[in-house]
Amino acid sequence: MAYSNPIETKNFRHGLRKDATPCERILWHYLKNRQIEGLKFRQQHGYGPYVMDFYCPELRWCIEVDGEAHDTDNQQAKDQDRTDFLNQHGIQVMRVRNEDIENNTPAVIQHIHEQATTLAAERKIELPVRRDTKRNKPTP
């Protein structure tokens, strides 16, 4: 199985994009079209056995939108397994609560901007990313 966007999950990922939750739709409105520091985000991007809500390949960064379903002990254990797997493959995971998106979207977007800036600095990537810049190419 290929790790990035495996063909085995293509139809599943397409269905997730089509049936996105209201909070995922709100967040996608702000992430699409390189609105955050010129970074490209993908919606429902597969990696290994998991599908990430939003994925930024330049920063190897995943943003997960969590609702009440993620509050159970069983789901939290699964979420931790997913985070551990992605971290082992160099992908940083950020979790955002539905309630935060619903109640204070500007603060969530500000936090995403701040996290993007921090990750870019750690990975020596200059922001904003220009379209002609190759991804994962550190600045000298």
Side-chain angles (χ1 to χ4, degrees):
M1 169 192 266
Y3 275 140
S4 187
N5 260 350
I7 193 72
E8 298 88 356
T9 63
K10 182 177 181 178
N11 290 335
F12 178 64
R13 289 182 280 112
H14 178 73
L16 289 173
R17 280 190 292 274
K18 185 178 168 189
D19 298 327
T21 68
C23 289
E24 288 173 345
R25 289 179 195 274
I26 290 168
L27 194 53
W28 181 238
H29 173 78
Y30 293 95
L31 296 178
K32 67 183 177 180
N33 299 325
R34 297 181 180 267
Q35 296 179 78
I36 305 286
E37 305 295 341
L39 296 165
K40 171 77 173 166
F41 281 88
R42 297 177 182 162
Q43 187 180 27
Q44 303 300 343
H45 182 83
Y47 197 86
Y50 300 106
V51 178
M52 299 175 278
D53 290 337
F54 303 103
Y55 177 64
C56 173
E58 290 97 345
L59 295 180
R60 296 190 53 80
W61 180 32
C62 160
I63 300 175
E64 290 292 315
V65 178
D66 293 346
E68 288 181 9
H70 293 263
D71 292 341
T72 67
D73 290 341
N74 186 40
Q75 188 58 48
Q76 287 180 359
K78 288 180 182 180
D79 288 345
Q80 188 59 54
D81 289 344
R82 168 211 242 2
T83 297
D84 292 344
F85 175 85
L86 294 171
N87 287 167
Q88 288 170 2
H89 290 271
I91 298 172
Q92 179 78 31
V93 178
M94 175 182 180
R95 295 196 169 277
V96 178
R97 297 289 303 179
N98 279 349
E99 302 85 48
D100 295 334
I101 294 170
E102 293 168 344
N103 298 327
N104 199 351
T105 304
V108 170
I109 300 308
Q110 180 61 35
H111 185 60
I112 290 171
H113 273 281
E114 291 166 359
Q115 188 66 28
T117 302
T118 299
L119 285 173
E122 289 172 2
R123 295 175 179 176
K124 297 180 176 41
I125 296 172
E126 186 176 333
L127 294 180
V129 174
R130 295 188 342 250
R131 286 184 181 250
D132 61 342
T133 303
K134 293 188 185 246
R135 66 180 157 156
N136 296 330
K137 182 179 178 184
T139 56

